[in-house]
Amino acid sequence: MVQLGGTACGVAAVMSVALLLPSTGSAASVYMSPLGRDAGECEDSTSACRTLQYAVSKASTGDNVRVMSGVYSGAGNFIDFTTSTLATNLTLIAHEVTNKPRAHVFDALGNYATMRVGAGTKVVGIGFTGVRRQTVATFGILWIAGAAEVRDCEFWDNDKAIGITGGKTTDVHIHSTVFSLPCEDATCTGGVGIDFLRTASYDAVVTATDLQFEGKGTGIKLSLGTMRITGIKAHNVTTVISGGDSSYGSFDLEVTHGDFTNNERVFYAYGYDPKLYPNFDGRARFESCKFDHGSCENCDGPTIRAGKRITVGVVSSGFTENSAGNSKGGAAAGRGGAFFCDATATINIESSTFFSNTAVDGSPGWCDPHCGFAATGVQLSGNTAGTDTGKCSWPPSVNATASL
């Protein structure tokens, strides 16, 4: 597994090179290898089958499908685990526990391909790469369509890595997994890590720990549904988390122990038109996080952007040397640094620090007076517009004050 350097808000974010795989207990195993052949029962590494399709046809409920080192591609390896004729609660697991996920790879080879999991499927220690021609409506190289767990995996060079569907039945866990967002050639149209697929994920609940995102792209698209993250590290990402696709439903996000460095935006919520969608809203809460050195020039949002009917809470976190704003003027001018919010949004800050946050035209670097903005117990230093006393007013005709 890729090793993460440093500490995320006091919580170690170092992934061991050795995969910490779950105990398989007394579960039986079937084996697969790129050098195997689809014959027999695949009961050991010397008689491994070649394709995942054949391997799962030999598995019983609760069995392990052990993936030996190598690269797997083609239709026989991108299958649907939720098909009613297959066993349930299967575990797709790297066989060599000391190897990295990039040694056990499912490769779409630049084509559109998806592996659909659910029905209690676990995916452990596997690498996924090479999917193309993904769109807003398609499902990612790993499509989670029901209760499932993904752990100690790695995704790279994909249009879209994971797609979440499943409605009310979805109970999804994603742990200790790395997403390298940029695609490596001109055929790539995306670069999305985890995508909640609109109406198909309206009641999805995803619990995640120790995630890593790196490179230009979108880490998580939370159009609707619920996601709770403990431990996330993002570096050099265009948008780490986007939320609130305007016509599909509400979302609920909780992030604890986040380490966000050198990103354009950490959180960008589109919001909801109250006239068209009066029952929709969005909520995000960040606790014990650090937001450092974010930069977003000539765009309409800084580190955290709250659109219509969005509520954001920030607790015990720190913002240092973030800059944003639109030097060309217009509606986005001066709305930079730490926050940008719509008039119908609400932002509540508690016990947090803001040091040297700036906007290109000198407007408040740590706050935005254009919405319901309140702060208690904050420490301020070196932010633009002379707002270190707690007054948050820009332009001068706007009278808004943060209570220290």
Side-chain angles (χ1 to χ4, degrees):
M1 176 59 68
V2 172
Q3 192 168 29
L4 309 183
T7 299
C9 300
V11 172
V14 177
M15 291 177 171
S16 172
V17 172
L19 293 174
L20 301 177
L21 300 182
S23 171
T24 57
S26 59
S29 295
V30 295
Y31 294 77
M32 58 183 294
S33 166
L35 303 178
R37 67 188 185 95
D38 289 342
E41 300 302 314
C42 314
E43 293 177 325
D44 56 48
S45 59
T46 62
S47 61
C49 24
R50 185 177 182 86
T51 66
L52 183 57
Q53 183 71 63
Y54 188 86
V56 298
S57 73
K58 297 300 178 180
S60 300
T61 296
D63 280 358
N64 302 302
V65 179
R66 293 194 170 274
V67 181
M68 300 178 70
S69 296
V71 177
Y72 301 84
S73 58
N77 287 307
F78 288 90
I79 69 168
D80 185 352
F81 277 83
T82 67
T83 301
S84 60
T85 57
L86 297 181
T88 59
N89 298 304
L90 297 177
T91 298
L92 184 67
I93 185 170
H95 177 52
E96 294 83 5
V97 298
T98 59
N99 284 338
K100 299 178 180 180
R102 293 198 184 207
H104 309 81
V105 178
F106 285 82
D107 191 341
L109 299 176
N111 299 303
Y112 172 74
T114 188
M115 182 187 297
R116 184 179 183 182
V117 299
T121 311
K122 295 181 180 179
V123 182
V124 185
I126 305 297
F128 294 89
T129 189
V131 75
R132 292 293 183 272
R133 295 196 295 277
Q134 294 283 336
T135 68
V136 171
T138 51
F139 303 105
I141 195 168
L142 185 65
W143 173 11
I144 300 178
E149 179 179 336
V150 177
R151 181 143 51 94
D152 297 311
C153 292
E154 186 174 355
F155 297 81
W156 69 97
D157 192 22
N158 297 297
D159 271 4
K160 185 183 296 183
I162 294 178
I164 308 287
T165 66
K168 294 182 178 180
T169 64
T170 301
D171 182 14
V172 178
H173 298 265
I174 305 173
H175 305 297
S176 301
T177 291
V178 175
F179 300 84
S180 298
L181 298 176
C183 298
E184 298 175 358
D185 59 61
T187 65
C188 178
T189 60
V192 178
I194 301 172
D195 191 357
F196 285 67
L197 289 159
R198 296 185 171 183
T199 52
S201 63
Y202 63 94
D203 243 351
V205 178
V206 176
T207 302
T209 59
D210 296 325
L211 303 182
Q212 179 179 342
F213 298 90
E214 56 187 7
K216 299 300 182 183
T218 300
I220 300 167
K221 292 181 68 175
L222 184 59
S223 296
L224 68 170
T226 298
M227 189 165 196
R228 311 198 191 287
I229 306 171
T230 302
I232 176 174
K233 186 173 185 179
H235 175 74
N236 198 34
V237 176
T238 306
T239 302
V240 181
I241 305 170
S242 67
D245 196 317
S246 62
S247 60
Y248 292 93
S250 300
F251 71 88
D252 191 348
L253 169 70
E254 292 185 5
V255 179
T256 306
H257 301 299
D259 186 348
F260 306 107
T261 306
N262 293 329
N263 304 291
E264 289 190 16
R265 297 186 181 101
V266 172
F267 177 68
Y268 188 99
Y270 301 93
Y272 308 94
D273 187 329
K275 294 181 180 179
L276 297 177
Y277 310 106
N279 297 320
F280 292 173
D281 56 21
R283 188 186 76 91
R285 187 177 191 273
F286 297 87
E287 182 172 357
S288 300
C289 296
K290 66 175 183 178
F291 305 82
D292 292 350
H293 308 291
S295 179
C296 182
E297 297 182 359
N298 296 321
C299 63
D300 65 347
T303 302
I304 291 178
R305 198 252 199 222
K308 296 178 179 179
R309 300 175 62 85
I310 303 298
T311 299
V312 176
V314 178
V315 180
S316 302
S317 297
F319 295 74
T320 303
E321 295 184 354
N322 299 285
S323 64
N326 191 333
S327 60
K328 298 180 180 180
R335 310 287 288 279
F339 298 99
F340 176 110
C341 54
D342 181 81
T344 63
T346 300
I347 295 179
N348 296 300
I349 314 297
E350 299 177 24
S351 304
S352 296
T353 60
F354 296 84
F355 300 141
S356 302
N357 299 284
T358 62
V360 295
D361 63 353
S363 59
W366 78 278
C367 61
D368 189 343
H370 296 81
C371 64
F373 190 99
T376 58
V378 297
Q379 298 180 44
L380 309 170
S381 178
N383 303 287
T384 55
T387 57
D388 290 345
T389 61
K391 293 189 180 297
C392 183
S393 179
W394 186 267
S397 60
V398 177
N399 183 18
T401 301
S403 174
L404 297 185

